[in-house]
Amino acid sequence: MKKIGIAITDPEDWTARTFINTAKEKGFSPFVLDLRTAEVSISSKNSEQATIFKAGESLLSDLDALIIRDVGAGAFEGVSFRFDILRELEAGGVPVINSPEAIQNAANKYHASYLLAKVGLPVPETVAVQSIEAALKAASRFGDAVIKPVFGYKGKDIARVKDGEIRFSDRQTGSGTVEEILEKLLEERGMLYIQEFIENPGRDIRVFVVGDTAIGAIYRKAASGSWVNNLSQGGSADRCVLTGEQKEIAEKAALAVGTTFAGIDIIEGPEAQTGNENKKTEDRSAGQGSRILEVNGTPSGKGIFDAWGINPAEHILEYLQNIL
């Protein structure tokens, strides 16, 4: 029986529990671990065991594969250490999905935007700056702009600049002028990641991709009075049937970032909302068709399960069965 590690931080998390239960159903022996408890011993005394990776009393190098639900947040050195462990296990022959490189690519919104645009995929116009002058210039040019933390999650700490004021994703208006608030954000973050706001019907699309196939999608609809569609910010899920274009760009986005499984967030531009699906992606002018907002390398499967009854863990474990 293959021993599959499942890295989690919250035992009550729906997706974590589903990974564990589905692994058992598929005939795997799941080993649940929290990477925040992992230990490594390095020695030159025994070349065959120069490095020993442990979680509790178990050797991580004995795993047949490792699924990452959550690496765990925390201080920079701790998070970096956990990613180092994943890279070293992968180099030692343990399949890690998603790979540490893919998770890092997806988690870094700036770098993910670069990777997507590099292969010609549609993304909102984006500016990354390190000065208040450049930030104010970008926000003024966009007219309606969104400022996201590069390593943010669950729709937290997103700001929207419009009509001379800033409103945050928690629906609070920023205290101070736009310049003062942007200066504070710049001081905290060291740079600002700014995107044009895409007019939309109060929803975005989360596409779940496994391997090279989109297995389903949901609309995420913003709560009343909000402009943020994340389910964790009060949004609601509904069934979505993808257009051919949306399916194609979601699958290509997962490939560009390097994920085995991913949640691809897409926003519908004006042309996409009118149902004109005949033009190819590359023929659409800026601001018209569907655009990719983000790629999530550790996505929750609950929304798509609630909407469609689709369990992404089944597809992910089947993928593992095929490669082991």
Side-chain angles (χ1 to χ4, degrees), residues 173-249:
T173 301
S175 177
T177 67
V178 169
E179 182 172 354
E180 288 170 343
I181 297 170
L182 290 185
E183 282 185 328
K184 183 178 179 181
L185 290 176
L186 184 59
E187 183 179 353
E188 292 172 353
R189 301 174 185 176
M191 60 85 71
L192 292 177
Y193 170 84
I194 307 171
Q195 289 186 323
E196 60 172 331
F197 179 82
I198 306 298
E199 291 295 337
N200 63 87
R203 69 187 185 193
D204 64 17
I205 298 170
R206 163 62 63 89
V207 188
F208 216 111
V209 178
V210 180
D212 58 0
T213 304
I215 64 171
I218 57 173
Y219 288 119
R220 302 189 304 177
K221 299 180 180 179
S224 177
S226 176
W227 53 275
V228 178
N229 300 310
N230 299 65
L231 301 185
S232 57
Q233 295 295 319
S236 60
D238 199 1
R239 292 184 175 190
C240 171
V241 177
L242 298 170
T243 67
E245 177 208 41
Q246 290 164 348
K247 182 176 186 295
E248 179 184 7
I249 65 174

Side-chain angles (χ1 to χ4, degrees), residues 41-310:
S41 299
I42 300 174
S43 174
S44 59
K45 294 179 181 179
N46 183 346
S47 60
E48 293 184 1
Q49 284 193 310
T51 307
I52 300 174
F53 305 92
K54 294 177 66 177
E57 296 302 315
S58 297
L59 296 178
L60 298 182
S61 53
D62 288 342
L63 295 173
D64 292 294
L66 177 57
I67 297 174
I68 308 301
R69 165 56 182 144
D70 194 356
V71 175
F76 172 76
E77 290 190 13
V79 175
S80 180
F81 171 59
R82 295 193 282 277
F83 273 102
D84 287 341
I85 291 174
L86 295 179
R87 280 195 292 269
E88 289 151 7
L89 286 171
E90 189 176 48
V94 177
V96 179
I97 62 170
N98 280 313
S99 72
E101 180 181 7
I103 294 172
Q104 289 177 314
N105 284 346
N108 185 330
K109 292 182 179 65
Y110 158 72
H111 188 58
S113 293
Y114 162 79
L115 292 174
L116 297 172
K118 185 179 179 183
V119 296
L121 290 170
V123 297
E125 187 174 353
T126 302
V127 176
V129 302
Q130 299 183 80
S131 73
I132 186 61
E133 293 79 13
L136 290 169
K137 182 178 178 181
S140 175
R141 180 165 65 84
F142 288 149
D144 194 349
V146 177
I147 301 175
K148 302 177 181 179
V150 167
F151 293 101
Y153 63 101
K154 293 186 176 181
K156 295 181 178 180
D157 301 319
I158 299 175
R160 183 176 175 186
V161 183
K162 182 182 180 183
D163 298 330
E165 72 172 25
I166 292 185
R167 185 171 294 277
F168 287 87
S169 51
D170 62 4
R171 308 185 195 182
Q172 296 298 312
T173 301
S175 177
T177 67
V178 169
E179 182 172 354
E180 288 170 343
I181 297 170
L182 290 185
E183 282 185 328
K184 183 178 179 181
L185 290 176
L186 184 59
E187 183 179 353
E188 292 172 353
R189 301 174 185 176
M191 60 85 71
L192 292 177
Y193 170 84
I194 307 171
Q195 289 186 323
E196 60 172 331
F197 179 82
I198 306 298
E199 291 295 337
N200 63 87
R203 69 187 185 193
D204 64 17
I205 298 170
R206 163 62 63 89
V207 188
F208 216 111
V209 178
V210 180
D212 58 0
T213 304
I215 64 171
I218 57 173
Y219 288 119
R220 302 189 304 177
K221 299 180 180 179
S224 177
S226 176
W227 53 275
V228 178
N229 300 310
N230 299 65
L231 301 185
S232 57
Q233 295 295 319
S236 60
D238 199 1
R239 292 184 175 190
C240 171
V241 177
L242 298 170
T243 67
E245 177 208 41
Q246 290 164 348
K247 182 176 186 295
E248 179 184 7
I249 65 174
E251 292 169 349
K252 288 183 176 180
L255 179 63
V257 174
T259 56
T260 297
F261 65 95
I264 312 296
D265 295 342
I266 293 175
I267 196 79
E268 302 161 281
E271 186 176 285
Q273 296 167 39
T274 62
N276 183 356
E277 304 161 15
N278 297 320
K279 293 185 180 181
K280 292 184 178 180
T281 300
E282 59 269 25
D283 294 332
R284 296 174 185 262
S285 61
Q288 296 301 306
S290 297
R291 244 94 49 90
I292 302 166
L293 292 178
E294 298 177 15
V295 176
N296 190 320
T298 54
S300 169
K302 190 174 188 303
I304 195 169
F305 181 81
D306 288 345
W308 286 102
I310 295 172

